[in-house]
Amino acid sequence: MTGVLNFIFFMLVLGFICYTFLVLIWYIVTAVTAMRAMKKAEGIHETEPYEDRLQSDDIPPVSILVPGYNEEVSVEGTVKSLLGLRYQAFEIIIVNDGSTDNMLNTAIEAFRMKKIEQVVRRYVSSKPVKAVYQSEIHRNVYLIDKENGGKADALNAGINASNYPYVCSIDADSVLERDALIKAVQPIIDGNGEVIAVGGSIRIANSSSIERGEIMNVTVSKRPVVIMQVIEYFRAFLIGRLGMSHFNILLIVSGAFGLFEKSAVIAAGGYRTDTVGEDMELVVRMHRTARENNRKSKISYIPDPVCWTEAPETAAVLRRQRRRWHQGLTETFWIHRSMFFRKKYGTVGWIGMPVFFLIEWCGPVFELLGYGLLLWALLFGEVNAVFAIILFLLMIMMGSLLSVTSVLLEEQGNGRHTNVKDLDRLFWYAWTESFWYRPLTVFWRVEGIWKAIRRSKDWSKAERKGISS
């Protein structure tokens, strides 16, 4: 190998090492912040029981939006689980987004829906509503039948039809824990009008037992792809989002479960329908709109309110999901590129956007570079072996060590996995991440960047078995 190639390799490795150390420092900061926040939350739970909060006059009524397309398998169980929520005043709005399966009739029959005459106000843009139904047995359950327009458009229709000042979005294949809503609303009650959105934790319910819309026994799937997603969700929520929320630079509230101030959503223009990452794009736009209107605002995340959802069980379906997520991330950064390093957007513009871009968007690009450099070092033995070893160890630290930490954090904070074999499985699989799972997701996320550059849209939807029973 020539001296020039050696120099190029050295500079690339040096750049990769510097990047990795910056990412590790950020993860250490957010992990420590997360641990302190979880410890503080434990104290709150002990001194302020949620039973007392349920009687408070400060609790705002909430409209729960359940958008669905071809969700006949899941919609009945999901709505039944929502009816069991411990909360003072809420309504459930099912939005049938032009389904081609039997979702509409399933909902009508399950809840004895009758068509009603109701004018749906047009706060934000959405496809035309064909009919509005109300349940005869649960007067707080409504069904909106509309033309197909995608999930974002369905959520906009739900916002237009809602009657309450806060809206909670939940996927039609998900189950909320009984106290999830009362826990999620607490930051709003304590926020003096500043908290405009709250996100909770998403957990994977594959292989867990659910009865009457309630998680009865949490069990970890034996499928490696599902196990790694369980671990990945721990890390993303407990380390990533909890830490960013502390600094008020949280840029995403999961589309599977989020609580929003309706007026703030309307002020931002509702959900965009021309991006595959509508959940993150809305949150960034809410940050942006609040600062442009000189409103002091905060978007929070708290780990305890949990929403259980179904995860992809095959690599092919997971690939489509991760490719779509990173495409949506790319589109959001492009749409809001003018927010970077702008004084008017405060910490979101100076820290939140750059850090999220550096870690989440650039992450797969730099990791792919790292795999290429490692392969280069293996193919050409003349390269200093020390660099190759350092490179390899950094990649292990960047993935597996953080995953192990997140598993420990989850069990320390929530302890929902009581089976010792499940805990062992999670712990040991976390150490394997860098050897097979992370390289796969790196390639898929880079594919998402390429799809965003090409402006191709992937609106495909995963097949659901249905977890709500």
Side-chain angles (χ1 to χ4, degrees):
M1 184 181 294
T2 65
V4 174
L5 288 178
N6 257 320
F7 178 75
I8 293 173
F9 179 83
F10 173 80
M11 295 304 296
L12 288 173
V13 170
L14 185 61
F16 179 81
I17 291 173
C18 291
Y19 169 79
T20 305
F21 270 119
L22 286 174
V23 172
L24 284 173
I25 290 170
W26 173 252
Y27 274 128
I28 290 170
V29 169
T30 52
V32 171
T33 303
M35 286 187 283
R36 293 179 63 183
M38 290 180 69
K39 188 65 177 177
K40 182 179 179 181
E42 287 178 5
I44 291 175
H45 298 167
E46 292 172 1
T47 57
E48 298 178 15
Y50 288 109
E51 287 77 6
D52 293 346
R53 303 181 203 181
L54 287 167
Q55 309 305 320
S56 172
D57 294 332
D58 296 329
I59 297 178
V62 174
S63 299
I64 304 175
L65 312 181
V66 188
Y69 174 74
N70 291 352
E71 295 284 2
E72 66 172 305
V73 173
S74 304
V75 64
E76 181 180 351
T78 296
V79 174
K80 284 181 177 178
S81 76
L82 294 174
L83 287 168
L85 289 174
R86 285 154 45 84
Y87 201 78
Q88 277 188 344
F90 65 95
E91 63 180 0
I92 300 169
I93 302 175
I94 310 164
V95 184
N96 177 52
D97 189 40
S99 298
T100 57
D101 68 353
N102 204 38
M103 176 181 167
L104 179 64
N105 290 329
T106 297
I108 290 174
E109 293 172 7
F111 303 104
R112 286 171 49 187
M113 294 284 191
K114 292 295 182 182
K115 190 178 293 187
I116 61 173
E117 295 296 327
Q118 178 175 322
V119 177
V120 177
R121 294 147 294 187
R122 195 175 175 84
Y123 295 119
V124 291
S125 176
S126 74
K127 294 282 187 180
V129 171
K130 295 187 285 187
V132 180
Y133 300 81
Q134 184 177 19
S135 170
E136 291 186 315
I137 53 177
H138 303 287
R139 304 301 292 177
N140 64 329
V141 178
Y142 298 87
L143 171 64
I144 308 296
D145 184 29
K146 61 177 287 291
E147 294 181 6
N148 179 259
K151 180 182 176 182
D153 192 80
L155 286 167
N156 283 342
I159 291 168
N160 288 334
S162 64
N163 297 299
Y164 293 146
Y166 288 88
V167 293
C168 174
S169 62
I170 177 172
D171 284 349
D173 60 352
S174 301
V175 171
L176 284 183
E177 293 189 346
R178 297 286 191 232
D179 291 327
L181 201 55
I182 187 64
K183 292 176 181 178
V185 82
Q186 193 60 38
I188 292 173
I189 297 172
D190 297 337
N192 298 318
E194 294 181 5
V195 177
I196 58 176
V198 179
S201 292
I202 309 299
R203 294 291 180 264
I204 292 174
N206 301 50
S207 298
S208 297
S209 60
I210 300 175
E211 296 178 10
R212 297 180 297 276
E214 183 177 3
I215 292 283
M216 304 303 295
N217 183 40
V218 179
T219 305
V220 177
S221 171
K222 293 182 180 179
R223 291 176 177 263
V225 167
V226 178
I227 294 171
M228 292 311 305
Q229 289 176 81
V230 173
I231 297 168
E232 190 178 30
Y233 276 42
F234 289 168
R235 186 175 66 194
F237 285 92
L238 293 180
I239 294 180
R241 298 188 188 181
L242 188 54
M244 296 188 78
S245 172
H246 178 80
F247 299 110
N248 194 23
I249 53 175
L250 185 63
L251 300 184
I252 184 168
V253 170
S254 175
F257 174 43
L259 182 62
F260 301 87
E261 181 187 282
K262 185 167 75 172
S263 61
V265 175
I266 293 172
Y271 288 87
R272 285 184 68 134
T273 59
D274 59 349
T275 174
V276 298
E278 72 281 339
D279 45 5
M280 178 181 178
E281 195 283 326
L282 173 65
V283 171
V284 174
R285 190 153 30 89
M286 288 176 70
H287 274 300
R288 180 173 194 155
T289 303
R291 281 159 177 76
E292 288 176 347
N293 292 333
N294 296 315
R295 177 182 177 180
K296 194 173 182 180
S297 64
K298 183 174 182 179
I299 294 179
S300 298
Y301 164 81
I302 48 177
D304 200 19
V306 171
C307 173
W308 296 88
T309 192
E310 183 181 2
E313 294 197 337
T314 67
V317 177
L318 181 62
R319 177 190 179 189
R320 291 199 298 271
Q321 182 196 69
R322 297 312 160 90
R323 188 171 58 191
R324 187 174 67 251
W325 284 1
H326 218 72
Q327 180 180 350
L329 179 69
T330 305
E331 291 171 350
T332 298
F333 279 129
W334 179 254
I335 292 168
H336 298 286
R337 60 193 182 277
S338 62
M339 290 179 66
F340 281 82
F341 303 112
R342 293 283 299 278
K343 183 178 179 180
K344 66 188 296 185
Y345 299 114
T347 54
V348 173
W350 278 101
I351 301 175
M353 295 285 281
V355 166
F356 211 79
F357 178 81
L358 183 67
I359 294 175
E360 294 298 327
W361 191 90
C362 293
V365 177
F366 274 93
E367 288 184 56
L368 188 62
L369 172 64
Y371 294 129
L373 292 174
L374 185 58
L375 181 62
W376 188 350
L378 293 174
L379 290 176
F380 301 96
E382 307 94 291
V383 174
N384 192 325
V386 174
F387 286 121
I389 294 172
I390 292 175
L391 195 64
F392 179 74
L393 291 177
L394 284 174
M395 292 167 72
I396 296 294
M397 289 174 63
M398 196 170 172
S400 300
L401 188 59
L402 287 167
S403 294
V404 170
T405 303
S406 66
V407 172
L408 296 175
L409 270 177
E410 165 66 14
E411 292 314 307
Q412 176 189 348
N414 297 316
R416 288 178 171 86
H417 295 89
T418 56
N419 187 299
V420 175
K421 290 184 178 180
D422 283 346
L423 291 174
D424 287 344
R425 190 179 298 128
L426 288 169
F427 183 80
W428 292 113
Y429 264 91
W431 285 111
T432 73
E433 180 183 17
S434 295
F435 298 98
W436 67 281
Y437 183 76
R438 196 169 184 88
L440 286 175
T441 58
V442 164
F443 284 114
W444 297 337
R445 291 158 70 194
V446 171
E447 284 183 325
I449 295 174
W450 178 241
K451 286 179 70 67
I453 293 172
R454 293 174 54 206
R455 297 189 178 183
S456 62
K457 300 296 181 184
D458 180 8
W459 307 102
S460 59
K461 180 177 178 294
E463 288 293 325
R464 301 291 188 185
K465 294 180 180 179
I467 63 168
S468 307
S469 59

